[in-house]
Amino acid sequence: MPAVLLPAVGVALLYHRGARRAGLAPARRWAFLTGLAIVVLALTPALEGLADTSFAWHMVQHQLLTLVAAPLLASGGALRAVLAARRRPGGAAHDPASPPPSGLRGWRVPGDPGVRVVLAAVMGLGVMLAWHLPPLFEAALADPRLHGLEHLSLLGSAVVLWTAIWRAAEESRYVLAAVLAAAVSAVGGAVLGVFLLGASELLYPWYAGQPGALTSQRVGGALMKVGALVVYVGVAVTLVVRWLARSAREPAGTGSSPVG
């Protein structure tokens, strides 16, 4: 347990320093701390033990990290706080409410929020699919260090994705890009889930000695399918509804300040 708690405390302290410098609101700080608590829960020895003997529980662990903790960490401005924490006290910070440099306007460069959110979705999908390839999945189960890298990369890529989604959704011209990113993530997770659910044989020999291993693999696939569709499609629908409501209130060409 200390192997989980000590890094979490260090992350919380780093975030606290950055959040103060960035002037993040208390609600956002609570969102981050809630997300961090869920990360700790997902990585507790009890859940790690269940994931080691059950594919379904392993998928529960992954979904806690990517579909529950990551959006909360991103809502808390995790990346923004880290950048602020690394800045020297009194150093100038970019005002998120100010317009981006002229070279970043439109869809012409990767720094644009619309492009960035789609790239983040593709990256996150690639990381997720790679770690569920049987050889890499099995290697991670056999090597604690590789297993830690698996969790870190899944969580990190998800935080980047959710940060990009929240950031893009704050400007009307980028909302559809955020919706597209959510759709890509939903389809990718659902397709993998359907594949695992319909597999007629055990794809991960690590679990071969466990009772009901094939059923557990199918349950894990079902959890992945349902989780991806419920979370990402739910977010996409919510973003569209908010965008339509905001468009009805605001003059053309206005937008809110970014979240990320």
Side-chain angles (χ1 to χ4, degrees):
M1 193 63 178
V4 178
L5 284 178
L6 291 180
V9 170
V11 169
L13 292 174
L14 178 67
Y15 173 82
H16 177 68
R17 181 172 66 180
R20 284 196 306 172
R21 291 182 180 176
L24 297 179
R28 299 186 65 183
R29 300 186 192 190
W30 279 112
F32 178 89
L33 292 176
T34 302
L36 187 60
I38 292 171
V39 172
V40 172
L41 171 65
L43 300 181
T44 55
L47 196 48
E48 284 279 20
L50 290 171
D52 196 49
T53 58
S54 166
F55 181 82
W57 277 108
H58 205 141
M59 293 306 98
V60 169
Q61 190 180 42
H62 285 183
Q63 296 210 334
L64 282 173
L65 292 174
T66 60
L67 299 181
V68 183
L72 287 168
L73 294 174
S75 296
L79 300 183
R80 181 176 166 190
V82 168
L83 292 175
R86 292 168 56 88
R87 195 175 66 243
R88 293 180 181 179
H94 172 67
D95 180 3
S98 64
S102 58
L104 300 183
R105 296 184 186 278
W107 286 75
R108 291 173 294 178
V109 296
D112 177 274
V115 174
R116 193 159 55 230
V117 70
V118 175
L119 292 177
V122 173
M123 177 191 71
L125 182 59
V127 170
M128 186 268 291
L129 292 176
W131 281 114
H132 288 85
L133 291 172
L136 198 53
F137 192 93
E138 293 272 311
L141 285 169
D143 186 340
R145 292 171 298 182
L146 192 59
H147 200 181
L149 178 62
E150 175 193 30
H151 289 154
L152 182 61
S153 58
L154 286 170
L155 177 62
S157 61
V159 170
V160 170
L161 169 60
W162 285 106
T163 298
I165 287 176
W166 301 147
R167 169 64 180 85
E170 286 300 315
E171 295 188 49
S172 296
R173 57 179 171 165
Y174 299 130
V175 169
L176 293 182
V179 170
L180 176 60
V184 168
S185 303
V187 170
V191 167
L192 179 58
V194 168
F195 177 75
L196 294 170
L197 181 60
S200 59
E201 59 183 25
L202 194 63
L203 300 176
Y204 305 101
W206 176 275
Y207 297 110
Q210 303 299 326
L214 182 57
T215 299
S216 180
Q217 178 178 286
R218 289 171 175 168
V219 171
L223 289 172
M224 180 174 292
K225 172 188 171 183
V226 172
L229 290 176
V230 168
V231 174
Y232 288 116
V233 173
V235 166
V237 171
T238 301
L239 292 180
V240 170
V241 171
R242 288 179 56 191
W243 172 51
L244 292 173
R246 189 169 64 210
S247 297
R249 294 193 308 265
E250 296 180 350
T254 61
S256 305
S257 60
V259 168

